[in-house]
């Protein structure tokens, strides 16, 4: 995925969106510094103006920053999805499985019984109301 990001040229729409998002991030930092009373407001404001001006005029520089930013975001997304899925498995599915094993419940009934001819289970309630299917 990252290789195709570096091989293909981003569209002008993607570059504008990237420029807008980075501008908003710098503006948020400027607002945070203003609220906290930090003296680095002029530095952030000048960085915002320089980045927006250079990005608007010199798109090859913007393409370079775009590719770096998107590469980092793909790597972080891949890492975070693995971490989140691992935590979900360990914190949700593992305790449920342990509780079911301790209580002796088998929701799928996957025991293999050689003496059975069929595993078919007939329905108990054969009446169905087709007007209320869902």
């Amino acid at each position: 995925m990252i290789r195709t990001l570096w091989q293909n040229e981003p569209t002008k729409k993607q570059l504008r969106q990237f420029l807008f998002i980075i501008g908003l991030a710098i503006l948020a930092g400027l607002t945070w510094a203003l609220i906290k009373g930090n003296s680095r407001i002029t530095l952030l404001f000048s960085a915002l103006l320089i980045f927006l001006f250079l990005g608007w005029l010199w798109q090859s520089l913007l393409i370079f920053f775009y590719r770096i930013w998107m590469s980092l975001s793909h790597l972080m997304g891949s890492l975070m999805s693995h971490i989140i899925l691992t935590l979900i498995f360990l914190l949700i599915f593992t305790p449920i499985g342990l509780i079911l094993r301790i209580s002796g419940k088998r929701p799928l009934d996957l025991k293999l019984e050689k003496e059975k001819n069929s595993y078919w289970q007939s329905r108990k309630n054969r009446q169905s109301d087709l007007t209320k299917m869902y």
Side-chain angles (χ1 to χ4, degrees), residues 15-128:
L15 289 175
R16 273 184 305 203
Q17 288 174 344
F18 173 69
L19 190 64
F20 180 72
I21 289 171
I22 294 299
L24 281 179
I26 295 173
L27 191 62
L30 177 67
T31 306
W32 180 260
L34 187 65
I35 290 172
K36 291 294 183 180
N38 200 337
S39 63
R40 296 188 180 129
I41 294 173
T42 56
L43 179 66
L44 284 172
F45 189 66
S46 61
L48 170 70
L49 289 177
I50 289 170
F51 185 78
L52 291 177
F53 183 72
L54 286 177
W56 198 263
L57 293 179
W58 194 15
Q59 286 199 349
S60 62
L61 177 68
L62 187 61
I63 289 172
F64 177 71
F65 282 118
Y66 172 82
R67 287 179 173 159
I68 289 175
W69 188 267
M70 289 297 136
S71 298
L72 288 174
S73 68
H74 283 292
L75 289 173
M76 283 178 36
S78 176
L79 178 69
M80 290 308 294
S81 66
H82 283 85
I83 290 172
I84 290 170
L85 288 174
T86 301
L87 287 175
I88 287 173
F89 182 81
L90 290 175
L91 298 176
I92 295 174
F93 294 122
T94 303
I96 290 173
L98 288 174
I99 290 170
L100 287 175
R101 282 196 182 208
I102 290 171
S103 66
K105 302 241 179 189
R106 300 228 175 233
L108 292 179
D109 195 25
L110 294 176
K111 284 191 300 185
L112 183 63
E113 298 176 20
K114 293 184 179 179
E115 59 272 354
K116 277 191 172 182
N117 290 334
S118 173
Y119 289 100
W120 182 264
Q121 295 178 355
S122 59
R123 283 182 19 185
K124 294 174 183 153
N125 185 6
R126 292 188 173 255
Q127 294 178 352
S128 62

